[in-house]
Amino acid sequence: MVLKAVFLFQAGAGILGNSFLLSTYSSSFLTAHRPKPTDVVLSSLAVANSLVLVSKGTPHVVGVLGLPGALGTAGCKVTYYLRRVSRDRSLCTTCLLSCLQATTISPKSAVWAALKGWASKNVGSSCLFCWTLNLAINSFSPMQVSVSWDNNSVSRTENLLFCQYKFSLSGISVIPVSFVGAMLIVLMILASVHMVCLLHSPHQRVHYIHHSSLARRTSPEKGAADTILLVVANLIPFYFLNSVYIFYDTKSFSSYLWL
């Protein structure tokens, strides 16, 4: 019961927070003003994070309501598929956000100017591509799992209180997801290093030359880049730990709800 309460609290707080972010960043869509590219990406990220929480929390809500088996085999597979898609979609969107901000603060050269223009015009298409890509590469995941309703089973399961998945993974589903995830993490790291190099050197040079309050003032671009760097720094290690857990859970012959 304690774990159920923790799961519900996490899901509820996360959904409320992401709903607030979605309403904040999507408000420009309801006005005549053209939304900023970062607002489009952040709105898409809030939707992806909310889907992660909903798909993960739905079995727990069913469990708290005392309705074992209410989702059925099809419902459990759908929630598992949505969780996989939205999890990878969140990673893809964060990568897109970091790359977009890296181009925004880049020097004003012809190449970067052209890249900034292309990114601003195609940010919506890029978000749609992320959705399509993750829907496609995870399309095999429902076929690779079977649902067990035996709560005492010690077979290869992922215990979700009432949805227990028996995995039968193959390279067809694992390799594309792993490759795309690794590629996105590498892109995020490169974009983050690029932003750090751009922001650190000019700031230090201006600070030591002028020693003025204006030089020490944080620009909006630097503040946005620092925030995105913080997001990336938190996402990458937790995504890695989550991937390790998923690999352990699918290969082990026991499942621990607390883990």
Side-chain angles (χ1 to χ4, degrees):
M1 290 304 298
V2 173
L3 289 174
K4 290 178 183 179
V6 171
F7 288 143
L8 290 177
F9 175 77
Q10 289 179 334
I15 291 173
L16 287 176
N18 282 284
S19 298
F20 172 77
L21 294 177
L22 180 61
S23 63
T24 300
Y25 291 114
S26 62
S27 59
S28 57
F29 292 98
L30 304 177
T31 62
H33 301 287
R34 183 180 180 181
K36 296 187 295 183
T38 51
D39 289 349
V40 177
V41 180
L42 288 169
S43 299
S44 180
L45 182 60
V47 172
N49 289 337
S50 297
L51 282 177
V52 172
L53 295 166
V54 170
S55 58
K56 183 72 174 178
T58 298
H60 301 309
V61 172
V62 172
V64 170
L65 295 177
L67 300 172
L71 290 176
T73 300
C76 286
K77 287 193 174 188
V78 168
T79 55
Y80 176 76
Y81 175 64
L82 288 177
R83 179 156 55 92
R84 288 285 299 269
V85 171
S86 53
R87 172 183 178 270
D88 295 335
R89 176 68 179 83
S90 179
L91 178 68
C92 184
T93 308
T94 306
C95 177
L96 179 62
L97 181 63
S98 59
C99 293
L100 179 63
Q101 189 63 29
T103 59
T104 301
I105 65 173
S106 295
K108 295 181 179 180
S109 63
V111 176
W112 284 112
L115 188 58
K116 290 177 188 178
W118 182 89
S120 299
K121 294 178 181 178
N122 296 278
V123 63
S125 301
S126 299
C127 291
L128 181 61
F129 173 75
C130 281
W131 277 111
T132 306
L133 174 65
N134 288 288
L135 286 170
I137 63 177
N138 286 288
S139 59
F140 288 97
S141 58
M143 308 174 191
Q144 302 293 326
V145 297
S146 59
V147 180
S148 171
W149 302 102
D150 182 9
N151 288 329
N152 297 319
S153 174
V154 293
S155 59
R156 189 178 302 175
T157 64
E158 180 183 349
N159 194 331
L160 290 180
L161 298 181
F162 293 103
C163 288
Q164 295 184 353
Y165 301 104
K166 294 183 178 181
F167 296 90
S168 177
L169 301 180
S170 63
I172 297 177
S173 60
V174 174
I175 293 177
V177 175
S178 302
F179 174 77
V180 172
M183 183 179 65
L184 292 174
I185 289 177
V186 170
L187 285 175
M188 276 194 292
I189 293 175
L190 291 176
S192 300
V193 171
H194 178 68
M195 284 190 285
V196 169
C197 293
L198 286 177
L199 292 173
H200 181 73
S201 299
H203 177 72
Q204 292 295 329
R205 186 161 54 248
V206 172
H207 176 73
Y208 285 113
I209 291 176
H210 297 285
H211 294 280
S212 64
S213 59
L214 182 63
R216 292 190 294 270
R217 187 180 302 167
T218 302
S219 65
E221 291 81 7
K222 183 180 185 301
D226 289 342
T227 302
I228 294 173
L229 288 173
L230 181 62
V231 171
V232 171
N234 279 275
L235 176 67
I236 290 179
F238 280 112
Y239 185 87
F240 175 76
L241 290 174
N242 185 243
S243 299
V244 171
Y245 164 73
I246 291 175
F247 178 80
Y248 161 80
D249 205 41
T250 56
K251 295 300 181 182
S252 66
F253 289 92
S254 60
S255 182
Y256 304 97
L257 183 59
W258 63 269
L259 183 58

